[in-house]
């Protein structure tokens, strides 16, 4: 029997292809990044302020902040700044 990892998590071939091509950020999104489902997150004003202040303090990129604060897409932080 051949193991099919994408099927074990309910992913489609096109989503798996995106992951292989690098257009799906597995580091930030984890296995959920392969699901193809998108969820709208609500972030508190306090969290947004903390993230923006961290960025403005310097030395940290949007992707680094996204990983640190568990934000699935670093472009969200770009919109806040």
């Amino acid at each position: 029997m051949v193991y099919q990892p994408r099927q074990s998590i309910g992913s489609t071939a096109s989503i798996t292809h995106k992951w292989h091509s690098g257009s799906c950020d597995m580091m930030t999104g984890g296995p959920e990044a392969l699901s193809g489902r998108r969820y709208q997150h609500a972030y508190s004003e306090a969290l947004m302020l903390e993230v923006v202040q961290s960025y403005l303090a310097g030395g940290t990129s949007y992707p680094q902040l996204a990983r640190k604060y568990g934000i699935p897409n670093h472009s969200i932080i770009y919109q806040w700044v």
Side-chain angles (χ1 to χ4, degrees), residues 13 23 52 55 67 76:
S23 61
V52 169
Y55 176 76
R67 283 189 296 276
I76 294 169

Side-chain angles (χ1 to χ4, degrees), residues 19 21 23 36 38 53 55 70:
W19 178 69
S21 68
S23 61
R38 296 188 180 217
Q53 287 176 336
Y55 176 76

Side-chain angles (χ1 to χ4, degrees), residues 29-50:
E32 293 79 25
L34 296 178
S35 71
R37 296 182 202 116
R38 296 188 180 217
Y39 301 97
Q40 185 161 351
H41 298 276
Y43 299 100
S44 71
E45 190 173 324
L47 175 68
M48 291 188 286
L49 183 59
E50 183 178 342

Side-chain angles (χ1 to χ4, degrees), residues 2-3 5-6 11 25 27 31-32 40 42 44 47 50 53 56 66 75 79:
V2 176
Y3 179 64
R6 71 176 172 86
S11 182
D25 192 353
M27 293 294 289
E32 293 79 25
Q40 185 161 351
S44 71
L47 175 68
E50 183 178 342
Q53 287 176 336
L56 294 176
S75 66
Q79 293 171 9

Side-chain angles (χ1 to χ4, degrees), residues 43-57 60-62 65-66 68-71 74 76-78 80-81:
Y43 299 100
S44 71
E45 190 173 324
L47 175 68
M48 291 188 286
L49 183 59
E50 183 178 342
V51 173
V52 169
Q53 287 176 336
S54 293
Y55 176 76
L56 294 176
T60 309
S61 68
Y62 294 134
L65 288 170
K68 177 179 178 182
Y69 290 98
I71 299 170
H74 68 268
I76 294 169
I77 299 169
Y78 174 79
W80 297 345
V81 175

